[in-house]
């Protein structure tokens, strides 16, 4: 208990050194308890909770007034702590090459945060795995890939400590892509799981942002950019996406061109092929090349399919003269 009392006092101090000072200077307290309070200062410096300069200044004050105090073991410990140069103790760091013992200068050059026990590269690996897996799976994968064990609670704490800043486009934004999905969250044991929505946005094909259950922040982020008028908006056609897109642009005369992405555009074109079959009783072959074709199509086959598509689409269009061409093409111009 006596040997570890300094560490115990440091851990319960919460970084506040004033109570420790009062204990050190209280001559009615046990001299070994007071010396443990002195040792607590070194623990706080090693953990980078307080600065070395603060402790050096306080020790200098105690040494200058030591002649006025009655001698006890407290002052012996003060001299020992001041002459052993205990400041800047080594810190054990987990890295991709194993456990390292680093000095204060090395820790400063690496840019490690106070009380951090993971190297920057190992932190990056943990964050990348945590972004794609659960924390428990990230713990398993990081140990399998690197041989270093990082617990799932440490993985979660590492993620929560990050301050991810959304990128700001350096140029004017003329193109925005929006998509969404759901993520499964585990609940209490035997309570099952629940799903939550997330949205992602891409600006100019360069800058990315993700938002969990916070659609308004996505809208505010896009509107904080320098938007080009008209703004090209790419989406999958879901109402949840277009409802966000319609809030882009704050001026009255702002225009948006909403474009359906190629994958969903092809789905709509196949629907057109189905309507041709029903209305014109054409053979029930989907428009485009066979999905199970083993070899890549030749140029002649692509040209043949394109011409066939034009003919069948024009035939269907004549049979449905009131159809909105922009809607069929997957594009809408909105003022």
């Amino acid at each position: 208990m006596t040997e570890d009392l300094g560490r115990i006092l440091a851990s319960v101090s919460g970084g506040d050194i004033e109570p420790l000072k009062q204990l050190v200077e209280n001559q009615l307290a046990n001299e070994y308890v007071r010396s443990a309070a002195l040792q607590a200062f070194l623990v706080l410096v090693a953990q980078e909770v307080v600065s070395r300069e603060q402790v050096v200044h306080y020790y200098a004050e105690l040494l200058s007034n030591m002649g006025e105090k009655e001698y006890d073991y407290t002052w012996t410990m003060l001299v020992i702590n001041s002459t052993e140069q205990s400041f800047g103790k080594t810190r054990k760091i987990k890295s991709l090459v194993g456990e390292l013992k680093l000095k204060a200068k090395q820790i400063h050059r690496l840019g490690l945060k106070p009380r951090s026990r993971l190297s920057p590269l190992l932190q990056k690996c943990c964050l990348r795995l945590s972004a794609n897996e659960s924390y428990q799976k990230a713990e398993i994968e990081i140990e399998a890939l690197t041989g270093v064990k990082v617990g799932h609670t440490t993985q979660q704490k590492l993620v929560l400590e990050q301050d991810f800043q959304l990128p700001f486009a350096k140029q004017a934004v003329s193109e925005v892509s929006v998509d969404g999905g759901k993520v499964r969250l585990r609940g209490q044991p035997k309570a099952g799981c629940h799903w939550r929505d997330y949205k992602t946005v891409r600006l100019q094909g360069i800058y990315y942002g993700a938002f969990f259950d916070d659609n308004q922040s996505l809208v505010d982020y896009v509107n904080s950019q320098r938007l080009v008028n008209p703004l090209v908006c790419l989406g999958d056609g879901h109402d949840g996406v277009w409802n966000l897109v319609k809030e882009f642009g704050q001026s009255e005369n702002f225009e948006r061109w909403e474009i359906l992405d190629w994958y969903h555009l092809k789905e709509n074109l196949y629907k057109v092929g189905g309507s041709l079959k029903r209305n014109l009783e054409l053979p029930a072959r989907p428009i485009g090349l066979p999905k199970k074709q083993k070899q890549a199509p030749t140029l002649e086959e692509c040209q043949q399919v394109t011409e066939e598509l034009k003919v069948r689409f024009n035939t269907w269009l004549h049979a449905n003269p009131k159809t909105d061409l922009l809607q069929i093409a997957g594009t809408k111009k909105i003022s």
Side-chain angles (χ1 to χ4, degrees):
M1 180 69 178
T2 306
E3 294 179 355
D4 295 330
L5 183 56
R7 295 185 179 183
I8 295 174
L9 292 174
S11 65
V12 300
S13 69
D16 185 6
I17 62 176
E18 291 302 322
L20 294 176
K21 289 182 178 180
Q22 295 174 8
L23 180 57
V24 170
E25 299 169 12
N26 184 4
Q27 296 187 12
L28 298 178
N30 182 277
E31 57 185 307
Y32 293 102
V33 174
R34 294 168 63 196
S35 64
L38 283 173
Q39 195 69 22
F41 283 97
L42 302 184
V43 176
L44 293 174
V45 171
Q47 296 294 326
E48 300 182 11
V49 177
V50 298
S51 66
R52 179 179 184 275
E53 288 72 20
Q54 284 180 278
V55 178
V56 169
H57 179 71
Y58 179 59
Y59 274 19
E61 289 183 359
L62 292 176
L63 289 170
S64 63
N65 300 324
M66 187 171 60
E68 305 173 3
K69 310 292 184 180
E70 183 179 351
Y71 171 79
D72 58 30
Y73 182 73
T74 307
W75 311 122
T76 302
M77 181 58 66
L78 175 62
V79 174
I80 293 174
N81 289 346
S82 301
T83 56
E84 281 189 345
Q85 297 182 354
S86 299
F87 300 108
K89 291 183 178 179
T90 59
R91 190 197 303 180
K92 292 183 179 180
I93 302 296
K94 287 184 177 181
S95 73
L96 295 180
V97 295
E99 189 173 78
L100 304 175
K101 292 183 178 180
L102 303 179
K103 295 289 186 179
K105 289 185 178 180
Q106 296 171 312
I107 292 173
H108 178 71
R109 292 187 63 181
L110 285 175
L112 286 177
K113 295 181 180 179
R115 297 181 293 280
S116 175
R117 290 291 183 269
L118 304 179
S119 70
L121 184 56
L122 182 57
Q123 289 185 24
K124 183 178 181 180
C125 293
C126 291
L127 290 173
R128 291 180 66 90
L129 285 174
S130 297
N132 294 283
E133 306 280 357
S134 66
Y135 295 124
Q136 288 184 334
K137 289 185 178 179
E139 175 185 356
I140 297 172
E141 291 299 321
I142 199 69
E143 185 175 11
L145 294 172
T146 66
V148 180
K149 183 175 180 59
V150 182
H152 61 275
T153 54
T154 303
Q155 305 262 5
Q156 182 182 18
K157 182 181 177 182
L158 179 63
V159 172
L160 296 178
E161 288 176 348
Q162 303 304 311
D163 183 19
F164 297 106
Q165 298 293 331
L166 292 170
F168 191 84
K170 297 180 179 180
Q171 68 272 44
V173 176
S174 61
E175 178 266 321
V176 175
S177 303
V178 182
D179 200 0
K182 291 185 178 294
V183 60
R184 184 171 67 96
L185 302 180
R186 294 186 303 177
Q188 297 296 327
K190 299 182 180 180
C193 304
H194 50 279
W195 296 85
R196 290 291 183 268
D197 294 328
Y198 70 89
K199 296 291 189 300
T200 59
V201 63
R202 184 183 68 174
L203 310 177
Q204 293 298 109
I206 304 174
Y207 309 99
Y208 293 82
F211 303 84
F212 177 71
D213 253 354
D214 192 3
N215 292 339
Q216 188 58 47
S217 293
L218 185 148
V219 174
D220 295 339
Y221 170 63
V222 174
N223 286 334
S224 67
Q225 311 292 327
R226 291 185 296 131
L227 302 180
V228 174
N229 189 4
L231 179 67
V232 178
C233 305
L234 184 67
D236 61 4
H238 192 276
D239 290 340
V241 170
W242 296 135
N243 289 337
L244 291 177
V245 168
K246 71 180 182 182
E247 298 185 35
F248 295 167
Q250 300 174 335
S251 61
E252 296 182 359
N253 299 323
F254 194 85
E255 294 183 353
R256 296 176 302 276
W257 290 358
E258 298 180 2
I259 301 179
L260 194 63
D261 65 71
W262 176 245
Y263 178 83
H264 294 89
L265 175 60
K266 287 196 299 182
E267 284 190 341
N268 284 330
L269 288 178
Y270 290 144
K271 292 177 183 178
V272 173
S275 64
L276 281 172
K277 173 192 170 184
R278 292 190 299 271
N279 296 334
L280 305 178
E281 297 182 353
L282 293 177
R285 183 176 66 83
I287 297 176
L289 297 172
K291 293 184 179 180
K292 297 183 179 180
Q293 182 170 335
K294 296 182 179 180
Q295 298 180 351
T298 63
L299 177 60
E300 291 74 13
E301 290 174 333
C302 291
Q303 292 175 338
Q304 180 180 358
V305 170
T306 302
E307 292 300 324
E308 179 185 351
L309 178 61
K310 290 180 180 179
V311 172
R312 299 179 68 182
F313 182 76
N314 288 330
T315 304
W316 179 86
L317 189 60
H318 284 296
N320 300 271
K322 296 183 180 181
T323 302
D324 187 347
L325 290 178
L326 289 176
Q327 185 176 2
I328 290 299
T331 306
K332 297 184 290 181
K333 181 178 179 182
I334 299 180
S335 304

